[in-house]
Amino acid sequence: MNNFSYTRAQNVIEAVQKVSADADTKFVAGGTNLIDLWKYNLTHFGALVDVNAIEGYHLIEEKSDGGVRLGAFAKNAETAYHPIIENRYPLLSRAILAGASAQIRNMATNGGNLLQRTRCYYFYDSTVPCNKREPGSGCSAIKGYNRIMAIFGTSENCIAVFPSDMCIALAALDAVVNVSGPGGERSLPFADFHRLPGDTPHLDNNLNPDEIITSIDLPEKGFSKNYSYLKLRDRNSYAFALVSVATAFELDGDVIKDARIALGGVAHKPWRVKQAEEFLRDNMASRENFETAAEIIIKDAVAYEYNSFKVELTKRAIVRNCIMALNPETQLPGAQPSA
Ligand SMILES: Cc1cc2nc3c(=O)[nH]c(=O)nc-3n(C[C@H](O)[C@H](O)[C@H](O)COP(=O)(O)OP(=O)(O)OC[C@H]3O[C@@H](n4cnc5c(N)ncnc54)[C@H](O)[C@@H]3O)c2cc1C
Ligand code: SF4
């Protein structure tokens, strides 16, 4: 049994002070990832600072610039079912509801979702080498059973994927993450929040350990007319994505004025290829053009022994999801909420 102390912070300054004063102190929000990692002996702490009682960061509210702010401590379920999100950012609603289970979404917070760790089997198995768990020890997945691993942006040190669904929609929407730390506040564009493994695979993101996420901003444009989130997985509920695609279009008749395609389950961070989105811009919304965009995206894929199926699966998922985005009410299995 590992003992730890537990306190409830009343405000952000108090929470940051406690965590920055002691490297052995961590924030806890819903606890749905942190406590699992602790039980597996993958994280250690002497003290927990619970952020749930901090007022002012549980809201979903419209901003004066036309965008919307998601409080970091709002629950994933509250966010997905909030009328503003359902009406203005249905892509985000769909992505959140494709993740985990109803019970977990009721506990999990928006801030915690960004910081969940990989589901690589070897990361969880402390008897084998893993550079993410123990830097410099090696990567057991590269020559191991790598079926669920990444095909984009990998390094010789790590081929794990980032498992979130919510973050794939946030990446497509160009969200911004607001954080607070001992040095004050700062904002990170979503594309810069998570990291590729490179030679520092133990670092998942660019948040400093003593910084707290306070909110996530969505720009005004929510793509509420033409969007789709498709999640392909081994079973249709309570499973992480093998491949997921968040697609959003702004259309003028049959012409695409703006296009977003973000992928999950295939990289160490939500994966976007701007060249493919630029190709679609001012082009017709046709299967042929969606296939070309998918080809542009997968040309950089690098597969390993057991995950080469992901290359073709990703290509087909992109095309299928682009077609579904033309008619968002299309109800296919990947568009249904996880039970
Ligand atoms: C069985 C199971 C299935 C799941 N399936 C899916 C799925 O299909 N798709 C999906 O997207 N997710 C899935 N999840 C992951 C789930 O969404 C995350 O566990 C959850 O979002 C984490 O949020 P939390 O509030 O519980 O974070 P916590 O567990 O409380 O914290 C996670 C980490 O973030 C830190 N932290 C928390 N809040 C903040 C903050 N505001 N600022 C700074 N640091 C913070 C904590 O210190 C900790 O390191 C699943 C989880 C489980 C257990
Ligand atoms: S892929 Fe990454 S997380 Fe998995 S064993 Fe290799 S280093 Fe560890």
Side-chain angles (χ1 to χ4, degrees):
M1 187 68 196
N2 296 319
N3 290 321
F4 62 90
S5 68
Y6 169 89
T7 48
R8 286 188 162 200
Q10 298 305 314
N11 56 59
V12 164
I13 293 173
E14 180 197 344
V16 167
Q17 273 172 352
K18 286 203 157 90
V19 169
S20 57
D22 174 14
D24 207 24
T25 299
K26 286 194 189 305
F27 302 114
V28 63
T32 61
N33 192 219
L34 183 72
I35 301 305
D36 274 358
L37 294 169
W38 179 67
K39 287 192 280 191
Y40 276 96
N41 227 4
L42 295 171
T43 189
H44 308 275
F45 42 79
L48 283 186
V49 177
D50 186 332
V51 297
N52 291 290
I54 300 176
E55 287 180 13
Y57 302 93
H58 295 77
L59 299 174
I60 311 297
E61 52 188 353
E62 287 179 311
K63 292 167 58 216
S64 56
D65 66 0
V68 165
R69 176 158 290 178
L70 313 177
F73 313 144
K75 303 294 185 184
N76 285 179
E78 289 165 352
T79 306
Y81 292 121
H82 196 286
I84 294 176
I85 304 304
E86 282 185 327
N87 292 327
R88 291 189 53 191
Y89 305 92
L91 176 66
L92 179 59
S93 255
R94 286 279 173 90
I96 295 173
L97 295 177
S101 65
Q103 290 89 342
I104 291 167
R105 295 191 299 265
N106 283 338
M107 284 301 292
T109 61
N110 294 334
N113 194 301
L114 272 59
L115 301 172
Q116 61 178 292
R117 305 217 69 192
T118 185
R119 297 282 161 168
C120 171
Y121 325 114
Y122 302 105
F123 174 69
Y124 281 85
D125 180 352
S126 56
T127 63
V128 298
C130 167
N131 286 324
K132 189 177 276 298
R133 178 169 24 82
E134 199 182 326
S137 61
C139 171
S140 298
I142 289 176
K143 293 205 167 137
Y145 186 54
N146 39 42
R147 180 172 177 272
I148 64 168
M149 303 302 168
I151 54 172
F152 296 112
T154 54
S155 77
E156 59 186 14
N157 300 304
C158 180
I159 60 171
V161 303
F162 176 58
S164 170
D165 290 292
M166 178 182 186
C167 291
I168 309 310
L170 291 174
L173 292 168
D174 273 342
V176 171
V177 187
N178 301 312
V179 311
S180 190
E185 298 178 350
R186 65 184 180 119
S187 298
L188 291 89
F190 210 79
D192 299 337
F193 187 80
H194 294 101
R195 296 168 64 102
L196 288 177
D199 54 8
T200 52
H202 57 292
L203 299 176
D204 295 342
N205 54 63
N206 289 314
L207 189 74
N208 295 322
D210 54 4
E211 283 181 316
I212 190 168
I213 301 175
T214 51
S215 61
I216 300 151
D217 286 344
L218 303 176
E220 184 170 8
K221 208 193 260 191
F223 298 92
S224 61
K225 287 202 179 109
N226 292 101
Y227 64 88
S228 183
Y229 186 73
L230 177 64
K231 179 175 181 180
L232 302 175
R233 45 190 153 170
D234 283 327
R235 36 167 214 271
N236 204 27
S237 178
Y238 209 45
F240 291 91
L242 286 169
V243 174
S244 69
V245 192
T247 302
F249 294 135
E250 184 187 336
L251 297 177
D252 180 2
D254 289 338
V255 178
I256 299 169
K257 302 314 289 179
D258 196 358
R260 309 281 173 86
I261 301 175
L263 303 177
V266 291
H268 202 258
K269 61 186 283 188
W271 192 254
R272 264 177 81 180
V273 177
K274 293 287 174 72
Q275 202 195 335
E277 296 175 5
E278 275 156 25
F279 164 77
L280 288 173
R281 219 161 280 145
D282 294 324
N283 243 323
M284 294 295 287
S286 66
R287 172 181 275 273
E288 192 188 2
N289 284 333
F290 298 151
E291 284 171 353
T292 303
E295 291 289 351
I296 292 171
I297 291 170
I298 61 151
K299 76 177 185 336
D300 294 327
V302 176
Y304 296 82
E305 186 174 0
Y306 296 100
N307 73 351
S308 54
F309 74 97
K310 279 197 179 186
V311 179
E312 184 64 21
L313 190 64
T314 302
K315 192 167 96 183
R316 291 179 186 217
I318 293 166
V319 175
R320 180 170 137 192
N321 203 45
C322 286
I323 292 169
M324 284 163 67
L326 302 179
N327 180 10
E329 295 317 311
T330 314
Q331 288 295 312
L332 288 171
Q336 304 283 6
S338 270

